[in-house]
Amino acid sequence: MDIAKKVTVPDVVAMKRDGKRITMMTAYDAAFARLVEAAGIDIILVGDSLGMVVLGYPTTVPVTMDDMVRHAAAVSRGASRPLLIGDMPFGSYQTGPTDALRNAARFLKEAGMDAVKLEGGHETVPLVRALVENGIAVMAHVGLTPQRVAQFGGFKTQAKSARAARRLIDDAIALEDAGAFSIVLESIPAPVASMVTERLSIPTIGIGAGIDCDGQVLVLHDVLGLYGDFKPKFAKRYGEIGTAVVDALRAFDSDVRDGRFPDAEHSFTMKDSELAALRQNATRPKAV
Ligand code: KIV
């Protein structure tokens, strides 16, 4: 992928055709979006994982459209080259095509996103069709869809039986037929992801779905070691930034307590003549 050229929806679809692997990473603010862009990643997903890794909720369910739009707008101020995708939060689309359209449009108009993602199988087909017919590019998401974590009884691998896997494959085909330009496969057995990838002409983006997907996505805070000790099996840590942050903050804490900070290098001075005048002024008794 040309590092300087804006990544578009057709580019991502073409990458599958050309046998090029696709990279996608989450980001939630301008500072990290800039770094993700600098790394040459193809797609930034402003995921509703925001709720867990940034806002401190136990699941993604409480995340609102206002939360998502605020963070997505920050991401688009930090990065413009990657394809930018806004994740539709729980309750923003399940209520029907009108709400789905209104909320998806907010991502494009208010937050500078290029496309949206929504979770679900065959039940979301009418919503995907409505969005696509009205000019909004949609990434689908099947398998472990975290907005249904209560129904699943936890963050559990899906499609482990032949019957459930068949259903997931049918859902993925239906979502492609509805016009989705790509699909996330989350936490499913690698052979099932492989079969989906083979059957679809749109790219599959895996997270816990094995090597045969057309692309891979991870949650930024998992990759960088910024999300406590929680570590899903599929989340490879490529850095230990959390440890580096604590080390830096401990050094600040002890420098301040021991009187080493701020030193001369980090303090401002003024001209000696100005200081002398100030001292004279400060010591002269007030006129009555
Ligand atoms: O919200 C998110 O970060 C996601 C990814 C895990 C695909 O949906």
Side-chain angles (χ1 to χ4, degrees), residues 64-249:
T64 66
M65 262 316 288
D66 285 346
D67 292 332
M68 291 304 301
V69 167
R70 177 173 290 262
H71 284 268
V75 165
S76 71
R77 287 192 289 271
S80 54
R81 186 200 56 82
L83 185 71
L84 301 177
I85 301 183
D87 205 5
M88 305 280 287
F90 183 66
S92 69
Y93 58 94
Q94 290 90 343
T95 43
T98 306
D99 283 345
L101 262 169
R102 186 186 309 113
N103 287 317
R106 286 191 68 191
F107 272 120
L108 274 61
K109 289 161 70 86
E110 297 174 41
M113 295 290 101
D114 302 307
V116 300
K117 175 173 86 58
L118 55 84
E119 297 182 7
H122 59 276
E123 74 285 0
T124 61
V125 160
L127 305 175
V128 172
R129 193 170 286 124
L131 293 177
V132 173
E133 279 174 358
N134 285 283
I136 299 176
V138 178
M139 176 177 273
H141 183 164
V142 295
L144 171 54
T145 43
Q147 291 172 16
R148 286 179 180 262
V149 66
Q151 277 181 330
F152 294 149
F155 293 92
K156 294 180 177 163
T157 305
Q158 301 297 306
K160 283 164 72 171
S161 69
R163 189 150 170 263
R166 183 69 253 165
R167 224 174 17 234
L168 183 139
I169 294 167
D170 289 346
D171 281 356
I173 292 169
L175 288 160
E176 169 167 330
D177 289 346
F181 75 92
S182 175
I183 185 166
V184 169
L185 307 178
E186 179 163 354
S187 220
I188 61 174
V192 178
S194 183
M195 290 171 81
V196 175
T197 303
E198 219 172 80
R199 278 167 175 69
L200 298 189
S201 54
I202 58 171
T204 57
I205 311 289
I207 174 164
I211 190 71
D212 289 335
C213 296
D214 299 302
Q216 297 292 330
V217 58
L218 285 175
V219 169
L220 181 73
H221 288 53
D222 291 339
V223 169
L224 299 181
L226 281 171
Y227 188 51
D229 290 330
F230 175 70
K231 189 178 171 300
K233 175 178 161 64
F234 56 73
K236 181 169 174 184
R237 271 199 190 171
Y238 284 86
E240 290 296 345
I241 309 300
T243 310
V245 168
V246 174
D247 287 349
L249 297 180

Side-chain angles (χ1 to χ4, degrees), residues 36-51:
V36 174
E37 177 177 69
I41 301 284
D42 300 315
I43 305 175
I44 294 182
L45 170 68
V46 187
D48 65 351
S49 48
L50 166 80

